[in-house]
Amino acid sequence: MLADCSSLIDFDGVQFMKHQPLIVVREDSKKERHYQGIAAAPGILEGKIMLHLAMEQSMPLRKIQKIDIASEMERFEKALRLTQQELLEIKKHVIPCLDAHEAALFDAHLLVLEDPDLLKEVLELLRRDLINVEHVFDIVIKQFCDSLNKKESSYLRERIVDIKDVSRRILNHLLGKPKLQPIDHDEPIIIVANTLTLSDAVMVYGKKQTAFATETGSQTSHTAILARAFGIPAVVGLRHVLGELKNGEPAVLDGYHGLLIINPTYKSVGGYQLMHAAQQDLHKDLEKIRDMPATTQDGRRITLSANLELPGELDDIFSSGAEGIGLYRTEFLYLNRLTPPEEEEQYEVLCTIAKRCRPYHAIVRTFDIGADKLIYCLPSVKEVNPSLGCRGIRLALQHKELFKAQLRVILRAAKLGNIRMMYPMISGIEELREANAILEEVKQELRHKKISFKEDIEVGIMMEVPSAAMIADLMAREVSFFSIGTNDLVQYLTSVDRGNESISYLYNPAHPGVIRILKMIVDAAHAAGIWVGVCGELAGDPRFTPLLVGLGVNELSASAIFIPRIKKAIQSLDFSTCQDLVAQMLNEGNATKNYNRCVAFAHNEYGALL
Ligand code: PEP
Ligand code: MG
């Protein structure tokens, strides 16, 4: 999977393959080094590496020699001095605003830096383990915080936050990281992190000269989804890469093939410039079909709509040629804030969306909070297995007032445009009926208060929990549509965590079990006379378009960035030939063969789009 740049262009983009070991060239730090991860968001960025490390994340790990101990200690002491200057500087500015107690705390911060035991312990560990000082210091501090955590005194326990803050500053200096927030920058940067939370990712929204590279994650993790929504190239699943990188190193991130290249040669950069130019040409070509319908060669019409996370994406969505919004992930409205959004704020957002979408529909999904979409405005509950825990509709039913507030907003805003709504993570009939009963209650209250709203709003469900999919025929009688969430459906059906890079090779949507359940859902919907769409990442992946077309889905909803390609793919296909392909795949037990067959088919029809 490791390639030189000339062969990159021919690389077939297979992302469901098992990880290959990284090849790391350590003798010459200026030599070009390639790191293979998982392609998460398309695009190429040439820029400088910026390491983004949180305390909880894994620290770079490097073996050192005995003779390096003195220089590592020197680095450490320098970082302590710089942190001290930084804190004294901050103190000068903020002291007039602090009361005596807070000022004393500030001094306690400074004392941490002068603690002789700290130096002693770091030195001992350096000698014993012969590893880099950042890693040693990280261990020492974590042990210290653990021991404080066990203390009776709440005062001591509360000091953990201060200690972590000081340590973070020290680590930033050790790692040569200029600021705590790497988000303000003018030059192109590639942010490399172990994990980027959604809150981190949201902070780079609108910064076009940015790319992400993370050690964890997969194509369907929400940070990857967000990168695509923002048009930011990204590579995820670059395991253990942090220890090999330095701040400021020149690099190229190739989001098409999941590659991070450090110290690229002129030849490599040239290769990427050619690739970039080819992508731009393709983009221009695809613009010609922007206002055309997504219809197959033999006349099968498919609605092609877009997924929306933040309202700021609306311009990109409509310039992509999308026919409305197939999935609005409303949970993003609740992110990065301490209190839930007021109803009027939510209402304004939905009104904007409803008006912009006309005459097309916008499918508003009630909040799918939970799993990796964590928010601060609800009390956090630690769960051993959050993906199987209280998320989506389960959480909504447990926080009825929050849910009702959202339903009120959706019902009111639906008066202004073609708004439909759907519930996430429905696992069975009772849950659907309970949610609908709350919807009815909200309608009743609005009627009572004489507030105008859309009485006959269409209500659908996400089909993403296998138990609901298995009774799709029964569920279909109670809803207006299905939208298949393949990200979760594949995760739950195959028991493969969608965000776990180490098993991502098993996350195969072409698994015959997946194809069979997809067929069940589509057939059940059609038998009941309702339409069915796909809004998971599969909808935006041209490798699988023949499969989804052949299954007979009515709508595909994808990130705006993929809409032009998918439209072209649909226009190149023949519905009946795709049906034949599906018939073959349904009877093939081998998931890899199915995957290869599907990709080969797509390659044959529209290789340039892959
Ligand atoms: C899905 O599961 O496919 C989906 C679209 O929902 P989300 O990615 O937000 O879980
Ligand atoms: Mg989902």
Side-chain angles (χ1 to χ4, degrees):
M1 210 58 94
L2 204 86
D4 71 29
C5 214
S6 51
S7 60
L8 278 179
I9 299 178
D10 301 317
F11 176 65
D12 66 8
V14 175
Q15 286 143 10
F16 293 99
M17 294 293 140
K18 199 162 187 160
H19 272 277
Q20 300 297 305
L22 298 173
I23 291 187
V24 178
V25 183
R26 306 192 63 164
E27 321 80 66
D28 176 359
S29 64
K30 289 278 179 271
K31 210 164 171 181
E32 179 170 295
R33 284 130 60 203
H34 291 195
Y35 300 95
Q36 179 69 60
I38 300 167
I44 293 160
L45 189 83
E46 191 192 339
K48 289 208 169 126
I49 292 295
M50 186 174 263
L51 303 175
H52 178 86
L53 299 157
M55 264 307 279
E56 291 73 17
Q57 292 168 4
S58 65
M59 229 6 86
L61 175 63
R62 224 175 34 246
K63 272 277 172 213
I64 60 164
Q65 308 293 324
K66 265 195 182 142
I67 50 159
D68 298 328
I69 293 178
S71 60
E72 287 295 284
M73 263 328 262
E74 231 169 73
R75 286 207 305 122
F76 183 56
E77 285 172 25
K78 184 174 168 204
L80 291 180
R81 277 198 308 280
L82 288 171
T83 307
Q84 195 168 32
Q85 281 165 16
E86 186 180 306
L87 286 173
L88 285 171
E89 189 62 23
I90 296 173
K91 188 175 169 185
K92 212 165 55 192
H93 284 97
V94 300
I95 207 81
C97 326
L98 301 180
D99 62 24
H101 174 67
E102 287 166 333
L105 285 184
F106 219 96
D107 288 335
H109 269 57
L110 286 162
L111 280 180
V112 174
L113 300 165
E114 289 163 13
D115 184 349
D117 287 344
L118 179 69
L119 282 176
K120 215 171 99 201
E121 242 177 281
V122 167
L123 184 59
E124 268 170 23
L125 259 191
L126 265 180
R127 285 190 181 131
R128 195 193 73 189
D129 293 352
L130 290 178
I131 52 175
N132 55 317
V133 72
E134 303 71 350
H135 206 90
V136 164
F137 177 62
D138 190 45
I139 295 172
V140 169
I141 284 298
K142 278 184 180 145
Q143 282 170 351
F144 186 54
C145 290
D146 282 350
S147 69
L148 282 187
N149 214 4
K150 291 183 189 124
K151 297 271 188 245
E152 286 279 309
S153 150
S154 63
Y155 174 79
L156 283 179
R157 284 201 309 273
E158 279 159 21
R159 294 290 62 75
I160 293 177
V161 178
D162 306 324
I163 289 163
K164 280 193 172 174
D165 183 56
V166 182
S167 321
R168 198 154 57 121
R169 291 175 194 280
I170 297 170
L171 283 170
N172 283 329
H173 285 297
L174 277 172
L175 295 161
K177 208 171 108 183
K179 283 186 188 157
L180 284 182
Q181 293 299 339
I183 310 305
D184 298 321
H185 59 90
D186 313 317
E187 51 180 356
I189 57 158
I190 299 167
I191 300 174
V192 188
N194 172 263
T195 305
L196 279 178
T197 62
L198 287 184
S199 325
D200 290 330
V202 164
M203 283 204 275
V204 298
Y205 178 58
K207 307 248 187 246
K208 291 286 180 201
Q209 292 283 74
T210 308
F212 287 162
T214 59
E215 290 188 320
T216 62
S218 70
Q219 266 199 326
T220 55
S221 49
H222 284 99
T223 305
I225 291 174
L226 216 51
R228 290 195 281 275
F230 294 173
I232 290 174
V235 175
V236 297
L238 284 159
R239 288 196 278 160
H240 314 301
V241 80
L242 276 172
E244 303 295 336
L245 305 184
K246 289 199 198 88
N247 264 315
E249 280 188 300
V252 170
L253 181 134
D254 171 1
Y256 295 106
H257 304 108
L259 264 178
L260 179 64
I261 302 179
I262 306 296
N263 291 324
T265 59
Y266 285 122
K267 186 173 164 236
S268 294
V269 171
Y272 274 110
Q273 280 164 354
L274 283 179
M275 192 199 280
H276 186 67
Q279 288 297 331
Q280 300 239 304
D281 287 348
L282 176 65
H283 191 74
K284 267 195 211 130
D285 240 28
L286 294 176
E287 261 181 16
K288 295 182 197 139
I289 60 162
R290 199 185 65 178
D291 300 318
M292 291 163 92
T295 306
T296 62
Q297 294 279 316
D298 51 349
R300 170 112 181 143
R301 176 80 166 88
I302 290 165
T303 304
L304 189 52
S305 48
N307 292 351
L308 172 75
E309 286 73 33
L310 299 178
E313 295 165 48
L314 282 169
D315 285 345
D316 285 345
I317 284 180
F318 288 103
S319 58
S320 75
E323 300 169 283
I325 290 167
L327 165 66
Y328 172 32
R329 291 183 162 100
T330 58
E331 55 275 13
F332 280 82
L333 269 175
Y334 298 74
L335 212 73
N336 275 355
R337 53 200 304 163
L338 296 173
T339 50
E342 297 287 339
E343 279 186 54
E344 279 321 296
E345 181 188 337
Q346 296 187 46
Y347 181 68
E348 252 173 55
V349 172
L350 282 196
C351 288
T352 309
I353 294 171
K355 287 182 200 158
R356 285 291 304 270
C357 271
R358 282 185 203 143
Y360 302 119
H361 68 216
I363 300 180
V364 179
R365 179 174 77 180
T366 60
F367 54 74
D368 180 19
I369 296 167
D372 64 338
K373 289 180 279 197
L374 297 176
I375 58 160
Y376 310 124
C377 55
L378 283 179
S380 72
V381 182
K382 261 224 171 313
E383 293 180 304
V384 176
N385 210 340
S387 291
L388 301 179
C390 189
R391 68 170 282 203
I393 197 67
R394 305 165 184 186
L395 187 131
L397 296 176
Q398 288 188 18
H399 293 271
K400 203 169 150 190
E401 285 315 311
L402 198 67
F403 188 40
K404 281 176 81 174
Q406 186 179 43
L407 294 177
R408 266 193 298 276
V409 171
I410 298 173
L411 285 168
R412 285 167 55 211
K415 282 291 273 185
L416 296 172
N418 188 359
I419 283 195
R420 301 167 185 188
M421 57 173 275
M422 64 180 171
Y423 306 123
M425 291 292 294
I426 290 283
S427 66
I429 293 275
E430 305 89 309
E431 231 166 10
L432 170 63
R433 290 186 185 157
E434 197 181 337
N436 275 340
I438 296 174
L439 181 66
E440 204 38 58
E441 220 179 280
V442 172
K443 284 185 179 176
Q444 196 54 36
E445 285 165 11
L446 288 172
R447 276 185 214 114
H448 189 70
K449 289 187 186 150
K450 301 209 172 354
I451 296 174
S452 117
F453 68 94
K454 183 158 179 172
E455 281 279 358
D456 54 351
I457 189 164
E458 281 186 34
V459 180
I461 54 169
M462 291 283 293
M463 264 296 173
E464 52 185 347
V465 180
S467 56
M470 293 303 293
I471 52 164
D473 54 333
L474 305 176
M475 303 295 294
R477 295 182 197 156
E478 313 215 4
V479 293
S480 301
F481 61 90
F482 288 155
S483 183
I484 307 176
T486 46
N487 304 340
D488 279 316
L489 186 64
V490 176
Q491 152 166 269
Y492 295 130
L493 197 63
T494 57
S495 296
V496 178
D497 177 347
R498 63 190 264 188
N500 185 338
E501 70 289 348
S502 70
I503 47 167
S504 62
Y505 64 97
L506 283 173
Y507 190 97
N508 183 354
H511 188 294
V514 174
I515 301 174
R516 286 185 183 197
I517 209 160
L518 290 175
K519 177 150 173 45
M520 265 182 59
I521 299 170
V522 175
D523 290 351
H526 290 165
I530 62 171
W531 65 266
V532 53
V534 172
C535 64
E537 298 314 296
L538 214 55
D541 190 333
R543 289 174 301 171
F544 298 102
T545 314
L547 169 67
L548 298 180
V549 168
L551 282 166
V553 299
N554 306 98
E555 183 205 47
L556 293 179
S557 186
S559 299
I561 201 167
F562 296 133
I563 299 280
R565 274 170 208 260
I566 299 298
K567 186 177 285 183
K568 183 75 187 168
I570 294 171
Q571 289 180 345
S572 317
L573 292 169
D574 194 77
F575 178 47
S576 60
T577 324
C578 292
Q579 284 178 305
D580 295 343
L581 172 76
V582 171
Q584 289 166 12
M585 291 173 83
L586 281 167
N587 288 313
E588 171 58 69
N590 184 317
T592 310
K593 273 195 185 159
N594 257 351
Y595 170 78
N596 290 339
R597 177 175 277 154
C598 198
V599 175
F601 187 96
H603 223 278
N604 215 19
E605 300 289 331
Y606 44 73
L609 298 177
L610 297 176

